[in-house]
Amino acid sequence: MEQEKARAAAWFESLRNEICTAFEGLEDALADGPHATQPPARFQRKPTKRDSGDGADAGGGVMSVMRDGRVFEKVGVNISTVYGTLGAAAQASMSARPGLSGLADDPRFWASGISLVAHMNSPKTPAVHMNTRMFWTPHGWWFGGGADLNPMVENPEDTAFFHARLKAACDRHNPAYYPRYKAWADEYFMIKHWNEPRGVGGIFYDDHCTGDWEEDFAFTQDVGRAFLAAFVPLTEKHMNSEWTGAEREHQLIRRGRYAEFNLVYDRGTQFGLQTGHNPEAVLMSLPPVAKWP
């Protein structure tokens, strides 16, 4: 499995590079709007380390963050490869997963992935989230990930476009994947204490292991590629549009809902904090500015 781990980690890094290049291209392409006259922003990269608590090498990653841009108010594209032993809290949260009931006997783990959240200047341009990852323990391995769109006000045409790209990626591997993982996203991205969805969904999958590592890795790669095909055209479509103060106010309220979900329900946030990963990297997903009514 060592070769497979290395290939997965290398893929997540290459996808990070492709996304950062595409997003910087959007910064260069902005023609109109309140931010058009300022210089285009660029990603700043910063290494991160996981704190194992005992001084042992526990891996880490790289944060790539772009702030105060012409198109992006804040976007982070983080990669990490971490390993070690799962603590009691992480074991308890994962022990119900298929094949992982023996974690207490051998709690070693390895995890690698990419995580992206983009908060846009324009209320007309949807915020977005994407991640893909591979997780390994001596008891088994699995892939997880997905992408979901978070507009301030739903545009049905945009929703259909975004979902169609994700569906095409799923259908290349199994026509049952899209309806299954769309339904999972609809359930997962529900802000339960408000009984409202975080956005217009997408796909979400976890514990994905058919027993064929190559096929599952290929599926996860296609999900990553589909993200750019789904999101970049929507940004290009809306990023030059004007917006009002009232639309900005609504955007900030929706961001407050986004922050609530990530702090209360998000699996990645909980896992990162439970396993000692850099808090700055774990909380990268939070918006730079938000409001609550």
Side-chain angles (χ1 to χ4, degrees):
M1 188 54 66
E2 293 306 310
Q3 183 180 19
E4 288 85 351
K5 291 179 187 176
R7 287 175 58 197
W11 158 251
F12 298 134
E13 182 175 355
S14 69
L15 180 60
R16 185 273 314 272
N17 294 341
E18 185 177 355
I19 290 170
C20 288
T21 297
F23 283 6
E24 288 181 349
L26 290 171
E27 282 284 302
D28 293 338
L30 185 73
D32 297 306
H35 301 274
T37 59
Q38 69 187 52
R42 289 293 181 263
F43 280 97
Q44 302 298 314
R45 294 187 178 177
K46 178 180 178 179
T48 63
K49 287 290 184 182
R50 174 177 171 261
D51 182 4
S52 65
D54 59 7
D57 180 15
V62 178
M63 293 177 59
S64 298
V65 180
M66 184 161 62
R67 302 176 187 271
D68 303 320
R70 289 149 51 105
V71 177
F72 297 91
E73 190 168 356
K74 177 187 175 186
V75 53
V77 190
N78 293 355
I79 56 170
S80 65
T81 298
V82 297
Y83 39 82
T85 58
L86 292 167
Q91 288 181 41
S93 67
M94 298 188 66
S95 60
R97 298 188 179 205
L100 299 185
S101 58
L103 281 175
D105 299 325
D106 190 344
R108 288 177 296 152
F109 82 99
W110 177 98
S112 184
I114 179 172
S115 180
L116 175 154
V117 175
H119 297 288
M120 318 303 287
N121 282 319
S122 171
K124 302 289 183 66
T125 306
V128 74
H129 156 259
M130 184 277 294
N131 75 81
T132 58
R133 59 195 173 275
M134 176 186 165
F135 197 93
W136 171 92
T137 79
H139 311 281
W141 53 264
W142 47 263
F143 287 92
D148 67 293
L149 196 67
N150 298 269
M152 302 306 107
V153 176
E154 181 179 1
N155 179 318
E157 183 178 297
D158 292 353
T159 301
F161 180 89
F162 187 82
H163 277 264
R165 270 64 192 168
L166 296 177
K167 182 178 185 300
C170 291
D171 287 352
R172 280 193 288 274
H173 298 269
N174 188 324
Y177 284 174
Y178 174 75
R180 181 189 309 162
Y181 295 150
K182 177 188 181 300
W184 198 341
D186 290 342
E187 178 183 0
Y188 179 72
F189 293 114
M190 179 65 65
I191 308 174
K192 297 178 179 64
H193 56 278
W194 289 111
N195 194 32
E196 66 181 37
R198 190 174 82 171
V200 297
I203 61 170
F204 177 83
Y205 63 99
D206 218 346
D207 311 321
H208 183 89
C209 177
T210 67
D212 184 337
W213 188 91
E214 292 289 351
E215 166 57 23
D216 294 346
F217 182 41
F219 169 60
T220 293
Q221 289 175 298
D222 277 345
V223 170
R225 295 186 187 102
F227 164 74
L228 280 174
F231 179 67
V232 169
L234 295 182
T235 303
E236 293 171 331
K237 176 181 176 182
H238 296 294
M239 68 185 188
N240 291 306
S241 300
E242 296 290 337
W243 67 85
T244 67
E247 288 171 327
R248 171 66 171 175
E249 187 73 9
H250 179 70
Q251 178 189 40
L252 297 181
I253 297 296
R254 292 305 307 165
R255 284 182 177 178
R257 295 284 205 267
Y258 194 100
E260 290 175 24
F261 176 89
N262 278 32
L263 292 173
V264 176
Y265 302 112
D266 186 73
R267 285 187 180 186
T269 300
Q270 293 172 5
F271 178 80
L273 295 176
Q274 288 170 352
T275 56
H277 199 57
N278 184 299
E280 184 181 1
V282 175
L283 299 175
M284 171 274 296
S285 61
L286 296 180
V289 183
K291 284 188 175 182
W292 282 262

